[in-house]
Amino acid sequence: MRIGLLQLNAILADPEANGRRVEEAYARAVAQGADLVLTPEMAIPGYLPEDRLWETGLRSRIERENQRLRQCAGDVPLVFGTCSPSPSGRLWNELWWCQGGEARCVARKRVLAMYDIFDETRYFDPAPEAPALVDFHGMKVGLSICEDLWADPDLAPGPIRYAFDPIRDLAERGATLILNASASPGHLGTWLPAGKHPSWAQPGKLAMRRRLLQGHAGRYGLPIAYVSRVGSESWLTFDGGSGVVFPDGSWQGLNDFEEAVQVIDLHRGGEPWQETASEASWLHQALKLGLRENLRKQGLEAVVVGLSGGIDSAVVVAMAAEALGPKNVLSVALPTRYTSQESLDLARLQAERLGIHHLCLDADAPFAGATASLANVFPDRTFSLTDENLQSRARGALLMALTSEPSVHRLLGTQRLAVLNTGNKSEAATGYFTLYGDGIGAFGILGDCLKQRVFALARELGEAVPLEVVTRKPTAELAPGQTDEASLLPYALLDAILAIHLETRRPLESLSDDLAELLEGAALDQARAALPRMLRLLHASEFKRRQLPFSLKVSPKAFGLGRRIPLTGTWRES
């Protein structure tokens, strides 16, 4: 059998556009000799339109597109992911096997994901029974949808346990081929220092998928065709990873992060699984895709980035220039009296190197005006954290002003522009940012990247980020002689704490011992001594993080929907 895998992007809540894309890709796969064609999960409505799914108008449009695609299916079966109403008022998450203009089989998702970012029982009911096997080309084909693949506790260890395993059920009922349609967001594993491999570290999604697919195929002695979507929706990035795994563990697959139509011949077998890309390379591709997709799908065409001469803004502006094209990026230096000439020179150097638009705006004037207003009421006041925050907010106000400034619209050729946030996860975790200052922006591409991953990404970007930016000490330049690490902790030590406690959710009582698996000597002593303070900062900053722009999820545990911490309540260190 030759299986056509449609690794497609989707537009949320646009079943007509998605249906046309499926129809075109189906025709291409048939022309390439496919005997059977499979789409990702929820290919017609997109995964996941969230509360748009309650709209009766959207439900009607999805149903009309389902029926239209059913009629489009010829002798070659089209197996597409969609949804339809269930008796409860929710929906079924379904796979329709359509052939000869008829729906030969409809399989419904049996296991609904309810952890981290997933909240599927809000919208769907689980299938009350297993789908029938489909006899086709001398094989018995079992249909499954995404989380159905993740129910074996030996292959998918984690806190969630399911009452049954749909893949085992299909195999025990005689399936000789299993199809799995997925919409599986990608992410890296726990950040770890080079050369460290603690047993508690969580792997990335690519490694987890490989373990699942090889495990099921080897255990039950059958091939599994897996197709997942690509693209980005808000905070999620879908990297694809589609292909067919064979009982011997070999693999035929598609390129990650790319829309593709590929026909895979089961009789050819597979090849050894290729080594995965480096973390920095995967991160580069994921963030570029997420940035480009979010702007396109929100109707935005250009971005404004505050370019400080520091590494975070340097990485963001380099990524923006690559993803959107230099003419669609405006960088802005925003000096106050504490800004060094080196920072201004590095910002200008990078802007020239990237070929982007660049401005330098005086942020000291609004800062001076604000401090003068305070001095009128408090004549004896002296420099304090208030002044640091005022500088940051002056910069934020100027950046936001540029998005509605007609001169900027003429410069960029569009009124559809937004500010990109440049903060990273280490800063967000500790509250080391200013609300309504450097916390502004439409969204942030680094908000789920610990500082060490920002450094790795800067090195991955090569000459797009000047070496002098990478090697200088991080500083907000809001006070004389200020550096981030003097205010917090060396980032390598802080990130070790956050990797253990935040990204891997290790218990508090084990944190000190866990640190010994990542650090040693004086660094270990320093991190252990700072542990109580860093944890207090993390748990005291929840209200600030709630007001940050959303960021692209690239780690096992990101701030946002997958980490629902109340603003009220008592927190204790033990």
Side-chain angles (χ1 to χ4, degrees):
M1 188 191 302
R2 292 166 56 85
I3 301 178
L5 301 182
L6 310 186
Q7 183 168 280
L8 301 178
N9 198 346
I11 303 172
L12 293 186
D14 194 343
E16 296 84 4
N18 295 332
R20 289 192 298 271
R21 182 166 293 183
V22 167
E23 182 182 5
E24 293 167 1
Y26 167 68
R28 289 170 55 195
V30 172
Q32 293 174 29
D35 300 309
L36 168 73
V37 178
L38 177 65
T39 81
E41 175 185 19
M42 294 280 285
I44 304 309
Y47 187 91
L48 185 63
E50 298 184 293
D51 282 7
R52 295 290 309 275
L53 289 172
W54 296 113
E55 298 174 9
T56 55
L58 178 58
R59 290 187 176 201
S60 298
R61 291 167 57 203
I62 293 169
E63 178 58 24
R64 286 196 297 270
E65 195 59 29
N66 291 344
Q67 297 303 329
R68 191 189 72 80
L69 278 181
R70 172 183 62 81
Q71 295 169 4
C72 289
D75 293 337
V76 174
L78 170 61
V79 185
F80 66 88
T82 189
C83 60
S84 68
S86 72
S88 72
R90 294 187 182 89
L91 297 160
W92 303 114
N93 185 335
E94 297 176 327
L95 270 181
W96 287 32
W97 180 303
C98 296
Q99 188 176 5
E102 299 297 331
R104 180 176 174 183
C105 175
V106 174
R108 291 166 175 158
K109 192 171 185 176
R110 301 187 67 192
V111 175
L112 300 180
M114 279 299 299
Y115 57 89
D116 195 44
I117 59 171
F118 301 109
D119 193 9
E120 292 190 327
T121 58
R122 181 178 177 89
Y123 309 105
F124 303 113
D125 285 323
E129 58 188 20
L133 300 179
V134 181
D135 292 313
F136 184 71
H137 268 231
M139 305 187 81
K140 292 187 177 297
V141 184
L143 305 181
S144 62
I145 302 174
C146 204
E147 193 72 11
D148 292 344
L149 196 69
W150 295 75
D152 186 323
D154 294 330
L155 298 177
I160 305 300
R161 293 289 181 268
Y162 298 113
F164 59 92
D165 179 357
I167 304 302
R168 175 179 292 161
D169 180 68
L170 291 171
E172 290 178 347
R173 288 166 47 221
T176 57
L177 167 67
I178 289 176
L179 308 183
N180 184 268
S182 288
S184 178
H187 63 72
L188 297 170
T190 304
W191 174 80
L192 299 170
K196 303 296 183 180
H197 306 285
S199 60
W200 42 259
Q202 185 170 331
K205 183 66 77 70
L206 286 172
M208 294 165 70
R209 292 190 201 121
R210 177 175 178 175
R211 176 187 171 113
L212 278 170
L213 291 167
Q214 287 184 319
H216 285 304
R219 177 176 297 170
Y220 303 118
L222 46 73
I224 299 175
Y226 170 87
V227 63
S228 187
R229 65 157 296 183
V230 291
S232 183
E233 309 293 352
S234 300
W235 56 88
L236 300 179
T237 298
F238 300 87
D239 54 350
S242 308
V244 175
V245 65
F246 295 87
D248 63 359
S250 60
W251 170 259
Q252 285 191 53
L254 286 66
N255 292 333
D256 295 339
F257 295 105
E258 298 175 7
E259 280 197 286
V261 174
Q262 185 164 325
V263 176
I264 293 179
D265 190 340
L266 297 187
H267 295 295
R268 276 187 48 209
E271 300 175 353
W273 212 298
Q274 293 184 352
E275 291 299 317
T276 57
S278 68
E279 282 199 356
S281 174
W282 187 94
L283 193 60
H284 183 186
Q285 294 181 79
L287 296 181
K288 180 170 67 172
L289 176 68
L291 172 57
R292 186 173 58 237
E293 285 278 292
N294 269 282
L295 288 176
R296 181 177 68 85
K297 291 179 177 179
Q298 294 182 56
L300 297 170
E301 298 174 336
V303 294
V304 177
V305 182
L307 190 57
S308 68
I311 191 167
D312 298 312
S313 63
V315 167
V316 170
V317 81
M319 291 292 300
E322 182 179 347
L324 310 176
K327 68 182 181 65
N328 298 311
V329 180
L330 170 62
S331 63
V332 187
L334 297 152
T336 67
R337 64 197 65 178
Y338 302 112
T339 302
S340 68
Q341 187 61 46
E342 180 187 20
S343 294
L344 296 175
D345 291 343
L346 286 173
R348 186 178 63 256
L349 169 66
Q350 186 179 18
E352 291 173 352
R353 184 176 295 179
L354 295 174
I356 60 178
H357 306 286
H358 184 67
L359 297 175
C360 184
L361 297 185
D362 178 13
D364 205 69
F367 165 55
T371 56
S373 293
L374 288 174
N376 288 336
V377 180
F378 307 111
D380 296 329
R381 71 178 302 273
T382 57
F383 186 93
S384 68
L385 179 61
T386 301
D387 299 83
E388 295 185 35
N389 289 338
L390 281 173
Q391 292 172 76
S392 183
R393 288 175 180 139
R395 291 168 176 165
L398 287 170
L399 287 174
M400 292 304 298
L402 292 174
T403 64
S404 56
E405 172 58 39
S407 298
V408 174
H409 297 165
R410 289 191 292 272
L411 179 68
L412 295 173
T414 180
Q415 298 182 32
R416 301 290 300 167
L417 65 154
V419 174
L420 286 186
N421 182 267
T422 58
N424 63 64
K425 189 176 189 176
S426 304
E427 294 169 345
T430 53
Y432 195 67
F433 62 93
T434 303
L435 280 175
Y436 327 120
D438 57 338
I440 65 158
F443 66 99
I445 63 172
L446 299 182
D448 195 31
C449 296
L450 295 175
K451 191 76 169 187
Q452 297 306 301
R453 281 189 164 145
V454 179
F455 278 111
L457 184 55
R459 291 188 287 269
E460 173 74 14
L461 290 168
E463 293 184 356
V465 178
L467 180 61
E468 298 90 337
V469 173
V470 180
T471 56
R472 72 186 304 218
K473 290 184 177 180
T475 173
E477 292 191 317
L478 299 173
Q482 182 187 60
T483 65
D484 294 4
E485 295 191 344
S487 301
L488 289 170
L489 188 68
Y491 276 116
L493 311 188
L494 173 60
D495 288 354
I497 293 172
L498 297 175
I500 296 167
H501 178 59
L502 181 60
E503 293 195 342
T504 319
R505 294 180 293 170
R506 294 286 289 168
L508 287 171
E509 57 269 20
S510 76
L511 295 185
S512 182
D513 290 338
D514 293 337
L515 279 170
E517 297 192 60
L518 303 186
L519 305 171
E520 55 190 32
L524 175 60
D525 294 339
Q526 187 178 0
R528 282 174 166 170
L531 188 56
R533 176 173 172 251
M534 294 302 109
L535 295 180
R536 283 195 298 272
L537 289 174
L538 172 66
H539 291 280
S541 302
E542 204 64 47
F543 79 98
K544 294 182 70 176
R545 284 190 291 273
R546 288 287 184 99
Q547 300 179 70
L548 280 175
F550 78 88
S551 57
L552 295 166
K553 174 179 166 61
V554 292
S555 78
K557 182 61 64 176
F559 294 124
L561 186 63
R563 184 180 180 273
R564 307 180 195 185
I565 305 297
L567 298 182
T568 57
T570 302
W571 178 80
R572 294 185 176 88
E573 295 175 21
S574 61

